Amino acid sequence: MAELFFQEWLDEVAAAFFDERFDLYENAVSLPLEIVSERRASTIGTQDGLKLKFDQWVSMMQTHRVTDMIRIARGVTRLSPDRIVGDYDTEILSNGARVMPAFSSSMMLEKQGNIWRAVRVTTGMTQDQWPLFFANTKIETDGSGRAS
């Protein structure tokens, strides 16, 4: 059952990007959201920061004429009644052609009320695969230079 919730979350968020529905994306994420990439860890702690990240995804997909984002859940585990973790593979395509190499990521979802929300993402997308996306990413810090 946990895998079903996880896959539904992946599918709903992908649709939110294509439909440019920030309201759906915002409802699928719990702030602060921890994001870990190959080179750094950051936290999105505000609605404005989340909107910026959402807009970057939408812009990136439009620029590269993305027609499909296929994300398949695997290795999903229920840690508690209200927390699941899992891995997923992502293919980003434009009319059947890969826009970038496929990548694998992991995520933790928490059930808040009746809604599963992302609280931590470890992305397998690298800066080398999509440098413009990472170049525009702003990291929120706690004032000491560390990600907050």
Side-chain angles (χ1 to χ4, degrees), residues 4-145:
L4 176 65
F5 296 134
F6 197 90
Q7 186 64 55
E8 284 177 352
W9 188 97
L10 292 170
D11 295 342
E12 288 171 9
V13 167
F17 289 127
F18 283 104
D19 296 339
E20 297 182 50
R21 294 282 310 273
F22 177 69
D23 61 315
L24 298 177
Y25 181 70
E26 178 183 33
N27 196 46
V29 174
S30 180
L31 297 178
L33 174 65
E34 296 178 56
I35 301 174
V36 178
S37 69
E38 67 172 341
R39 295 191 181 167
R40 64 180 169 218
S42 63
T43 300
I44 299 175
T46 66
Q47 183 181 14
D48 288 343
L50 189 64
K51 179 78 164 89
L52 175 64
K53 184 59 75 177
F54 177 82
D55 290 345
Q56 288 174 333
W57 267 100
V58 169
S59 175
M60 176 176 63
M61 291 169 65
Q62 290 172 345
T63 298
H64 294 281
R65 298 186 180 121
V66 172
T67 55
D68 300 285
M69 180 165 46
I70 303 165
R71 302 196 297 177
I72 305 297
R74 60 182 171 76
V76 178
T77 304
R78 185 179 292 274
L79 299 178
S80 71
D82 295 333
R83 186 171 281 191
I84 55 179
V85 296
D87 299 321
Y88 59 100
D89 301 314
T90 302
E91 293 266 359
I92 298 177
L93 309 170
S94 177
N95 296 311
R98 278 191 181 148
V99 172
M100 63 181 295
F103 60 93
S104 297
S105 303
S106 64
M107 182 167 32
M108 179 181 292
L109 300 178
E110 280 185 4
K111 189 174 185 182
Q112 299 173 354
N114 291 325
I115 300 169
W116 287 98
R117 292 189 169 109
V119 295
R120 186 171 204 272
V121 177
T122 301
T123 181
M125 184 182 353
T126 67
Q127 188 167 351
D128 293 337
Q129 289 170 319
W130 221 321
L132 294 177
F133 182 74
F134 285 92
N136 294 325
T137 301
K138 294 182 181 178
I139 298 175
E140 299 173 27
T141 64
D142 62 6
S144 67

